[in-house]
Structure formats: structure tokens, C-alpha cells
Amino acid sequence: MVGWHGAPVEELRELEGHATDEELTEQLLAPLWSKSRWWRICFAVSGAGTLLYLVAFTYTVVSGIGVWGNNIPVAWAYGITNFVWWIGIGHAGTFISAFLLLLQQRWRSSVNRVAEAMTIFAVIQAGLFPVLHLGRPWFAYWLIPYPATMAVWPQFRSALPWDFAAISTYFTISLLFWYVGLIPDLATVRDRAPGRVRRVVYGIFALGWRGAGAHWQRYRLVYGILAGLATPLVVSVHSIVSTDFAITQLPGWHSTIFPPYFVAGALYSGFAMVIMLVLPLRAVFRLSNVITTRHLDSLGKMVLAMGWMVIYTYAIETFFAWYSGDPFEVAQYLRARPFGSYALVFWGMVFCNCVVPQALWSRRVRTSPVLLFVVAFLVQVGMWAERFVIIVASLYRDFLPSSWNLYAPTWVDWGLLLGSIGFFSFLFFLFLRYIPFVPIDEVKHLRAELEPRRSG
Amino acid sequence: MVGRRDFLKMVGAGVALAGVTGCVTEPRRSILPYTMRPPEVTPGNPLYYATTMPLDGYGIGLLVASREGRPTKVEGNPDHPASLGAAGVYEQASILQLYDPNRARQLTYQGGVRSVRDFVRAFGPQSTSAFGTPGNGEGLHLLLEPTSSPLTASLIARVREAYPAAGFTFYSPLSSSSELDAARNVFGRPLQPVYDLRAADIIVALDADLLDEGPFSLRYAREFADRRRLEEPSAGMNRLYVAEAGFTSTGVLADHRLRVRSTEVAEVAAALLELVRGGSVGATEGAAPMGGAVVGEGRGAQWRGNEWVRAAARDLAAHAGRSLIMAGARQPPRVHELAIALNAILGNIGRTIRYIDPVLVDVGLPTHSPVPLVEALRAGAVRTLVIVGGNPVYDMPADFEFGELLRRVPERVYCGLYRNETAALCDWVVPALHYLESWGDVRAWDGTASLIQPLIYPLYGGITIDDLLKVFLLEAATDAHQLLWESWRERTGGGDDFDEFWKDALRRGVIPGTTSPEVAVTGEGAVVRVQSMGGAGGEPRAGSVGVDRVPESGDQQGGGGESAKLPRGGLVLSFRRDPKVYDGRFANNGWLQELPDPVTKQCWGNAALLSPRTAARLGVEDGDLVELRYRGGKLRLPALHLPGHADDEVTVSLGYGRGGAEEVARGVGANAYLLRRADAPWFGGGLEVARVGEARGEERVVRTQERWTQEGRPIALVATLAGYRANPDFTHEHRGSQPSLFERWNYSGEQWGMTIDLSVCTGCSACVVACQAENNIPVVGREGVARGREMHWLRIDRYVTGDVEEPRIVMQPMLCQHCEKAPCEYVCPVNATVHSSDGLNEMIYNRCVGTRFCSNNCPYKVRRFNWFDYAVLRSPEEDLQLNPDVTVRARGVMEKCTYCVQRIRRAGIRARVEGRELGGDEVVTACQQACPTRAIVFGSLGDPESEVSRSRRQPRLYSVLHELGTEPRTMYLAKIVNEAPATAV
């Protein structure tokens, strides 16, 4: 293959090396049997993070939202920022598993389970925040349309019942999709597990899979249908979450570009999160033959592409604010955000989201695990900052200057953010320990696909 | 057989007896259940009783709502001349003070609990006290608050008879003798002015906050506003000139405001007098030239060229007999004399101003000065000091060192509401009764007498001043009601119709025929030598003079020292009454501490206020901690830039930095009394300001509104009268229908709406406190407000417009706009905020889950959220004040103004029961009722002749943020400013 500047370029392959099926299986099951000290340490740390989360969560429910930093006008701050950030992160998982499946992109094979697990755990984090940020979370079920004795239904013109529908759907589909994809591998584990207890437990979850032709046929069918159902969710869920803001008339929120803006941003931060999870795994478990530089390259390209969509939306939003001449919009986009009290966060966001990913134009950066990780981390930070800017900067300076007020987070706000990361990690480390995180069956299928070509 | 009044008292006691641990003055009676209720009482319906609130000796008539024997809400008494139906900030908040859990509850002697009998034994007929024998009262001194009470006056007279050598002093930190001294100098005897602002076209206020400060301010505010309402563009408007250093509520409504140092107001007044007398600004035609003394040259010349002074003089001369010049109590007598001279020359006396004999007991006598007492204390001549009310250890001028002097007195008695700084130094501490628990009488500023009747049996025991004076009289004890009844019986000569008279006095809250008669100072029968010069309809008298004695320039109040000769570049320190805690007596009132200052919007503390220019010169940033060094004293507090404040002057509110047992008040703000000197109690030169650093923690300024301007947005519209007449439709972009995706509502029946007239809103914030009292709004505390969580449903937004150096302030009450196309309604996920068929945006507390989405979508940000369980934070005593018609909100629930829906529904039920329609003006919201200027108008838009419907026909009507299409039911009338036409000078 010749690169565009004339010199030959090494072709990146989805699978490296000449391992046999048996060797691949052994390699990919190894993490489940090992008694890794690193895992224990990381798990303990994430356990501590989960504990912090629990404390902050309980304190909030018992004492009231007053233990956060929220006020009037900034009635939403860290709570909803975290919610949108986590939901956004989840989208990349579905994109990789479902979207790329339908597009028959081979490189999705080894990373899709990690991505999908990430989605589920991210959605769990995200789903807790809208309940927690309620003044009376014990009545959160009133957002669900059930036939209540009070004969009152939710108010459907509001975006929050839509959120509930979207997120519950998303979680259900993602969970099913991930689980169905797991079944052949759970059977593999069941067949090779050392102890009887493990064989039984995995056996139950493997649902009696024997690898028969009929099983594979049904598997492919269901997997395909679920992929088809999950794919539109990539676009719809975060579009609905964006309507939490877009249906209002607050300058900074009241913008029709929000649905595609948020979806692009979601994929942006989601792919960055996949990178952040996959690269350490690849290094620690020595999986560079199944998670190859091709994967890194593809992920890097996705991040860059999504980054440019985000840059476009920033530009378009700001342009239209200026073009509209509306004094409130101009004040928000051209004064409050870049020069107001949160200017540091704003410019940090611009740097992390717009400047940093330009490094990904370089193939060297895209295929270097360390540099790619750093870029991904900064994108994550930048995307959190973006949600913060959208929510807090728009609220703290709105229409009447008499109600302008600053927001400052408390330790509970920080505890919930860091704690949710801790809880996410906690679930993720459990996942690593007990479930083959690289899909063994898919990798073996991929090997089968690639083999004839190489020998030919 | 138990009388009705006693029955109610007992039932009230049934609720409150839990708190009574001390003794009561009356024998205990049995409690009866409510099954045999008095016929006029229906549980659930409020009863209104008339009473009067005494403040610094003058009374403001009130109607207090009583629920099953306990008072819950204060309203003004429309029949009382000092109220006219309005109730200001102090009156509204006084109800919370009644239930204050920090009130003194037990009578103690040196810390040990005693009974009233012990006290009577110590000071009454068989007393062994230091002054008991030989009985002429040598060494006995009573330090009282100023009073106008006829009952107290008679008791004082009898105590004086019994103890001729006893000393009396009447002291209040905010009282000033300037007005009376000036009258004595000019008229030969102390006289008190009563203004009639309805008759005044031009008003000049020289450091006088007539609209918000003083015992008649509620009335003056109404009279002033009545001449300013501008029903249509061609209507007339009065014009107000204000010269002041700080920014007061009167300054807010000024058409022309002169930013001048307190020390220079005298020069301004002198220049004004000179110009009016000299006739160089077009005085009344045919006026005779002036004779008499001439004001000295020098500084006066500078002010004579000042545009404000010239314009004021022009206007005054053109409206002789229909104008009014007044000087503030802070200014020295000289300025008041100049004001009298001006009024005399212009023929205003007898028209816009009349003089009456002073209303307070002993006024004009040395007993109204603390100096004789202080000298007696220094000489050790006081053996028994009885302090009733007030807090002299805290609020006497610092150079008296009153606390030290008090310690040396062998026997010290304090009778007051709280165990404050003064009580801490006294042996005997006797709890006082709150006025809402007392029998008594008091007179208003114009002399009108009214009764004080209790709304509840004493909560914590205690006695009134009349009870205490009775103890000193060597007579058998009688109860307060009996005392009062007998005193009025005597005063009216008894007779058969006394019963009728008594009942009528109690019912109406005013005793007819007690208004002080005018003391003629001009024309026939004048008691003084002042003669007027021309005036409306008057013949100019040749050779007449203005005033015989024209004051000299250059001397300060009380004369004295370096402060008198003020160098031009020096800083002046100025003290002011605090618009919230008064002189400090209300510092323990959570409502008042949390109420934002009308102009600075600061709460829970005070600050050193100074102009931005002076601050820049001193290197003091907004919010910095500064140290004030003044005549040997030092005070540290934060500084605030106040646009419109005079240069080279620093104003500090009195009433903060309290100690004592009052938990709410303790440690809030800095105690300015520590710098106050007796010879210059209001302002003086020689101040140094040093920046200490940034204010942190408890010293930070906490404000509800940080921004001063409207940021170029048309929110509070202001126009000149000339501009309005030329272009009446100038608000047309801010009203009218807007395109909308939502359907129009179908209207029929009552449709509630509110119009707020910005032309007459002074920002006094009585409406804010009234709303808090009516709607059970919690106090969140200093930290809560610092975080931006104050709960006021109604707030007053304060914007500056115009020149940065000489700004105008416009006050805009902002509350739920009850938008017909409400942005909050469509974003609530659970239908907790919906629209009623009569136009209200309704908040359903028990459905709210607290997503706060509605707050985000409200462009006016009038919604409030219960971040914590604020209800639990109230003490059980304060719970007694709660309005049972209004839900007490739980944690996690949104709340906002409901247009007092409880009042609307109550009126609707009453109308239905009576089988009639609800009148368009029948429902009065709490804010509307409290407002002294009647800036708020509420009623049904469904009735085309209701007041609110008529207000909607004014061309200067507009909606805030109209372009958002919310179609609010709360609309505003733009502020019109009556600027003087510029003419060649």
C-alpha cells in the first residue's frame, strides 16, 4: 500500500500474529483466572471511590439539595453536568457495537464488548443523577406514566419524561445487546472454568449454549435485530437529552443545533473514554495482537472526526448568536462565556476540545498508545467542561441582571463526580475480572475471515 | 361569667402557656376548651383588632389579624392618620418579634429567678430600696424611651410628685432635637411641623428621608405619591428636590438629586435661602426686597451657582405657598432654621406645613438629653437607675462610656424585651411586654391618640412601663387594662357615654378629636414674629423681612472642636438609621436581617458606604475590608461602592455588631456606635479610612443583587414627563400581543392581574416583609443568602440609570408575573405548576418533585426552592406566627408568589356564601396592602372598571421581557421623572 506522499505505508491489520483459535481463547480467558495484584489495588481504589459516592449520595438524600452548591438562578450545576457527561460517554459503546456492526466494520470486533460494558456502566451512573438531583427523589416515579391513584399523568410537553423514556430504553437495549453478545463466551468460560462453582454460575448465564448451528443462526438474528434497535438510539437518546435544554428559552440553551451538537459531543467523549479504557487493558493484558494499531488508528480517526463536528457546532452557535443581534444571546455567547466568571472553564474547554485533538491528524499520534491516551483524557475533561459551561454559564447570567449570581461547588458536588467515576470503575473492574472483555468468538471469526486473504 | 375579651386571652394562653416559665402579673385562670366559643369567632377565620405600634414614642395605627387568639399578621389601619392603611417594614416585622424565642422570659435578680412580688417588694410601697426613705427620690433616676403616651405621662407626673428629687431622662439614639431647637430659636418655643404634601407642588428635602424615615413617613409617602400618579400624560406631577449624602428611598424618587456631603447641606440651604430671598431667580411678582441679615460670602457663593440650587430656587419662587422645604433630623438646628425661613418667605406656613405643640412627653426640656444623666452618673449622684426599654449600654455615644458609668450605680434595674448588653450589666432584669401583648396608649406625630390593646395573653410574662411606674407609686397594684380605662375615663370626664367611647376607640383604633390643633405662627393670632412675604393669593407686604435672625454659617451641631472647621479634603463619617434594624432594636429579627437594604441590597450586616470616586482615591475595592479611624475610635468592616453617594463621606448604618443573648443578632455586622460621639451624633469630620485587605468569611458583604445596571436591557423603563407627554406611546414595543405556538386561553369571570407603578415605588420593602409574613416564607440565614438561596417571593430590583457620577435609581418590585404563556408550566414533568381558569399560575406543592426545571425556564427568576427543611429550622414559638391559610412547604419543593391565592379563594368563598359576584377590587394582596405609596394595584381584569383595569389603560404600561411572549399578568407603569424645564439662569 502506498501512502499519498509516495512512500510505502505499512498496512494496519485488525489481527496481528499467527495464533491459533486455541491460543486466542487461552489468551483472552487468561485475565479471568489470574490473581493480579494490580487488579486488587485498582479495585480497592475504585471501592473507596464508590464509598465516597455512597456517602455523598446518602448525605444529599437525607439533608437536601442544599448540601450542593446550587442556588437560584443556577438551579442545575454539577448534578446535570455529570448526567449529560455520563450519558454522552455511553454513546460510543453503542456506536461501536451496533452502528459499526451494521456498517460491517471489522475493527469493532475486539473492542465492542468493552465499549458496550462501558455504555451500561455509564448509563447506570447517568441514570442515578436525575433521580438524585430531585428535591424529593422518593417521588421520582411520578415521571413514569403509570395509572396513578391521583389520576395525574406526567406532563408530556416537558423533556424530562422524554429523558426517562429514552434512558430506560437505552439501558434496556444496551443491556440485552451486550448480554446476548456475551452468551457464546460465557459458554466458553463455562467449559473451561477450573472450579465447579464457576462452571455452574457461568452455566446458568450461558443459557445452555452448545455452539450448534441453530444456536448460531438464532444468535446472529437476535444480535442483528438488537443492533438495528440500538443504532437509532445512538442518535435519539442524546438528542432527547439535549432537548432538556433546547426546549427552554434561556439564551445558551435555546438553540436548534443542540440535538446533533450533543450527539456529536457524545460520540466525541465516548470514543475518548473507549480509548482510555482500552489502551491500559491492551498494555496490561498484552493484547496488542487482538487490539492492534489498526484499532488505535480507527478510534483516533473517530475522535478527530467527532471533534470537528463539535468545532463546527461551537462556531455555528456563536455565529448565530452574533448574527441574530439578540442582546441576550450576544451577551451570553460573546461576553459571559469567554470573559465572564467562568472564562477559565470556557477557554479550557476550547483548548481541550478544539486544539488538542488536532494532534490526531498525525498517524504517529493516533498509533501511539501514550499520546492517544493523553489526547483522550483531555477530550474527556474538555467535554465535561463543555457541559458545565452550557449549563452553568447560561444560568448564572440570564435575562434580568438582578438575578445574576455565581455558583461554586461544594465537597458533595466533587464527591459525587469523583465518586461516580469511582463507581463506574468499580463496576468496570468487576467486569474485567469475571467476564471475557474481548469477545472470543468474534475474534476467532475475524481470524477465520482474515486468514484466507493472507495466505493468498 | 367570663367576658369575651378575657376568654380570648385565655384561649391564646392555652396555646402559649407552654412557653411561660416565669411569673405572670395576673393570677392564673383555668383553660376552657373551644366548644363554647364566643359568637364572633369562627375557627379558621381571622378577626382583626385595632392597636397601635409605638416606635420611639410615636404611634402607628394597625389592624392585626388574630387567629384563634393569636396574632399572625399586621396590616395598617386605614383610619389612623399615621398609617392610612399602610404598614412599613418595622410594623410588619414586629409580629415576629412578639414570638421571638430569645425574648427575656424570667424576672431575675443577679441571675436568680424572682417573682414580680419580689420586685414590688424591692421598689414598691414597703420597699427597703436606697431611695425608699425619706421618699423624695434622691438618687433615683429613670432612663426611659421617649413616649407620647397620655397614660405614661400621667404616671410620670405622679411619680414626680411622689419623688420630687427623682431624675428622668428620655433617650433614643435616633432622636434629634434639631427641629425643636430650631423652632424654639425662631418661634420662641419648641414646635413640631406637620406637612401636607398633598398641597405641595415643589418639595425640597435637605437630608430628609421623608418618605421612609420618621413617625409620619407612611403618610407622607402616600400624600407624595398621590400627587405623582399621573393617570394620564396631561396630569400634573409634583417635583422633588433632594440634597443628601447617602442614597435614601426619598432620593430614589427625587426628580433632581444633589449629591452633597452632610456637612455641606447647611451651605446649600443658605444658598437656597439667599437665592429665594434675593429674588434673582424670578420670585413672585411684586415681592418686596429683603432686609435683615445677609448670609456670609465665601462657600455660599459656590452653591449659589450650582444648577440644582438655582433650579430649586426657581421652582420654589414660582410655587410660593404651594411648596415645602424640609430639613432632616440629622442636620443641626441651623439648617432647620433656614428651612423655616424659606417656608416663611414662600408663604408655605399654614398651607403645606403647620406647626403643633410637640407631642412627646417632656420634649424640649433637658430631660430629652442624656447629658444631665451622664453628669449625674459621673458625679456618683445616682444610687438607683431604672432603665426601661432601649439599650443604652449599646447605643449611647461612645464617649459617655455608659457601660462603665452604669457599673458604678449600686442598684440597677432593666426592663426590656431582651437580655441585651444593658441587661447584662443590671441587677434586676424585668421582662417587658411587647406592644402586641400590652394595654396602653400612644399618640401619633400629629397628636392623634389611640389605644394599644393586646392581641394575646403575655407569652413570657412581663410588664409594661406603666406597670413599672405604678410599682414606684406607693399604691396598690392594678392591672394595666384597669389603669388605662381609668385614665381615659378621667381624661374624658367620665359620663354615661364613656363605655360607648371606649368601645369605639378600641374598635376603630383612633380616638377622635385628639389631633393636635395648629399653632398659628403667621397672620392673625400668630405666636411668633415670623411674617410671610407674598405667596398664593397673599398681598405682598412692603418692607417685610423673612426671618429676624439668620443663622451664621460654619458651626456644626452642638458646636465644638475640630470637626466644626472641616477641611475640604477631609473625610466625613456619617451615621444613619438602618432601614432594617432601625437603631439595633430589631437586630434579632430574622426577617429584617434577611431583608435586603433597599439601595445596597446588603443583608445580614452593614458596610462602609462610599462613592466609587472616593473609593478609587483611597484604593478601596468593592467588598474590601477597611478600618475606619475616627476621633480615637476604630472600626473594621467591609466597604461598598455606592453610586450616587457623596464624595469624601463614608456612611455606616447603626444597629449592628450586637452582643447580648439575642442569637440571631449576635456578631452580625459592625457596631458603629463605638465611633459615635455625643457632640456630633450624626456626622463629623476627621475620618481616616485604611484598606485592610479582602473581606473573608463573616466579614464579607452578603448581597441579594450584585449588579447595579440593567446592562443595556430595557427592564425598568424611565422617561421624563416632557418626553412622556411628547411621546405617550414610548413603551409600545413592550406591550401588545406576540405570536405564540400556544393557544389562547378562554377568559370569563375573574381574571387576576397586577400593575406596579414604578413612579411611586421608593423601594422601602414593606411589601417584601408583608409577603414573608403572609406566606410563611422562611429565613435562610447569612450563609444561605451568600449562596443565593434567599426565599423572598417578592424582591425589589434596584437599577441605576443615567450618569455614573450622578445616577438615578429605579426600584422595580419583581414577583411571579403569572404569565399567560408561562415558560415554567410546560417544562414541569409532573404537572406541579399549572394555570387556573382565573389567570393564576398555580404551584402545587405536594406534586412537586423538585427538578427545578421551572426555575431554569423562568426568565424573571422569581421561583424559589426549598434547599433544606426550612420549616424544621423555625422555633416552636415562631410557628405561632404562621398563617394557617398557607401551606408550609417541605424540603425539595418549589414555591413562588401566588397572588395571595389564599386571600382570593377566601374572598371567593365569602362572595359565594353571600350569593354575589366577587368585586374587581375586593381582594387585596399582602404586598398591595402594606405599600405606603400604593404602588401595587391588584384586582380582576374581568371587571373593566376595577382599579387594575383602569391602570391598564395608561399609555406608559409595559411588560418586562415582553419580546419573550410570556404575556405576564403583572405589568408595570414606567417611571416618569418630572425634570425641571431648563431655562436661562
Side-chain angles (χ1 to χ4, degrees), chain A residues 163-222:
Chain A
D163 266 357
F164 166 76
I167 292 167
S168 56
T169 312
Y170 193 41
F171 183 70
T172 312
I173 298 287
S174 299
L175 189 64
L176 281 177
F177 189 42
W178 177 74
Y179 179 59
V180 167
L182 256 184
I183 291 172
D185 281 355
L186 290 176
T188 310
V189 178
R190 171 200 63 194
D191 294 339
R192 291 162 188 262
R196 181 169 161 74
V197 172
R198 267 194 263 223
R199 278 201 292 274
V200 167
V201 171
Y202 281 103
I204 292 169
F205 284 106
L207 300 181
W209 177 271
R210 288 187 315 277
H215 288 182
W216 279 111
Q217 193 223 358
R218 281 176 214 141
Y219 171 83
R220 280 260 167 257
L221 192 64
V222 173

Side-chain angles (χ1 to χ4, degrees), chain A residues 61-62 64 66 68 70-72 75-76 133-136 153 155 158 244 247-249 328 331 398-399 402 408, chain B residues 713 787-789 797 825-829 831 845-846 848-853 856-857 861 867-868 891 963:
Chain A
V61 174
V62 164
W68 294 3
N70 300 33
N71 58 28
I72 303 292
W76 285 356
H133 102 293
L134 295 182
R136 302 205 289 172
W153 295 91
Q155 202 272 113
S158 162
D244 283 349
I247 64 168
T248 68
Q249 36 84 62
F328 302 115
D398 68 322
F399 293 98
S402 58
Chain B
R713 302 168 185 192
R787 278 220 181 262
R789 296 173 178 169
D797 290 343
E825 285 171 14
Y826 74 82
V827 293
C828 173
N831 275 312
Y845 307 119
N846 52 354
C848 177
V849 289
T851 61
R852 305 184 294 287
F853 204 173
N856 293 339
N857 213 21
K861 289 292 180 283
W867 304 96
F868 289 113
R891 164 164 71 98
E963 70 263 32

Side-chain angles (χ1 to χ4, degrees), chain A residues 328-362:
Chain A
F328 302 115
E329 299 276 332
V330 167
Q332 172 61 220
Y333 283 100
L334 302 180
R335 277 204 293 278
R337 288 188 187 188
F339 306 115
S341 310
Y342 299 105
L344 228 64
V345 184
F346 174 81
W347 291 111
M349 166 192 99
V350 169
F351 175 74
C352 290
N353 290 350
C354 307
V355 173
V356 162
Q358 303 314 314
L360 296 172
W361 283 108
S362 150

Side-chain angles (χ1 to χ4, degrees), chain A residues 60-76 130 133-140 142-143 146 148 150 152-161 243-245 247-250 253 326-328 331-332 335 395 397-410, chain B residues 703-707 709-715 742 785-790 795 797-799 812 814 823-832 844-853 855-869 890-894 960-961 963-964 966:
Chain A
T60 304
V61 174
V62 164
S63 300
I65 307 294
V67 303
W68 294 3
N70 300 33
N71 58 28
I72 303 292
V74 187
W76 285 356
H133 102 293
L134 295 182
R136 302 205 289 172
W138 44 92
F139 290 130
W142 284 350
L143 272 85
Y146 73 98
M150 289 186 282
V152 193
W153 295 91
Q155 202 272 113
F156 291 110
R157 287 181 298 169
S158 162
L160 299 186
T243 56
D244 283 349
F245 309 104
I247 64 168
T248 68
Q249 36 84 62
L250 189 68
W253 288 12
D326 182 311
F328 302 115
Q332 172 61 220
R335 277 204 293 278
L395 285 173
R397 279 195 192 176
D398 68 322
F399 293 98
L400 300 185
S402 58
S403 33
W404 291 5
N405 229 329
L406 283 177
Y407 162 82
T410 62
Chain B
R703 278 181 286 188
T704 57
Q705 183 182 348
E706 311 265 331
R707 314 296 291 204
T709 68
Q710 295 176 61
E711 307 283 327
R713 302 168 185 192
I715 298 165
F742 299 116
V785 180
R787 278 220 181 262
R789 296 173 178 169
E790 62 276 7
R795 64 172 192 262
D797 290 343
R798 170 271 294 128
Y799 298 112
Q812 183 175 55
M814 181 53 66
C824 58
E825 285 171 14
Y826 74 82
V827 293
C828 173
V830 289
N831 275 312
I844 300 158
Y845 307 119
N846 52 354
R847 179 68 175 166
C848 177
V849 289
T851 61
R852 305 184 294 287
F853 204 173
S855 164
N856 293 339
N857 213 21
C858 174
Y860 308 99
K861 289 292 180 283
V862 287
R863 286 175 155 271
R864 303 281 170 250
F865 184 69
N866 284 275
W867 304 96
F868 289 113
D869 247 325
R891 164 164 71 98
V893 157
M894 296 293 292
V960 177
L961 298 177
E963 70 263 32
L964 296 179
T966 53

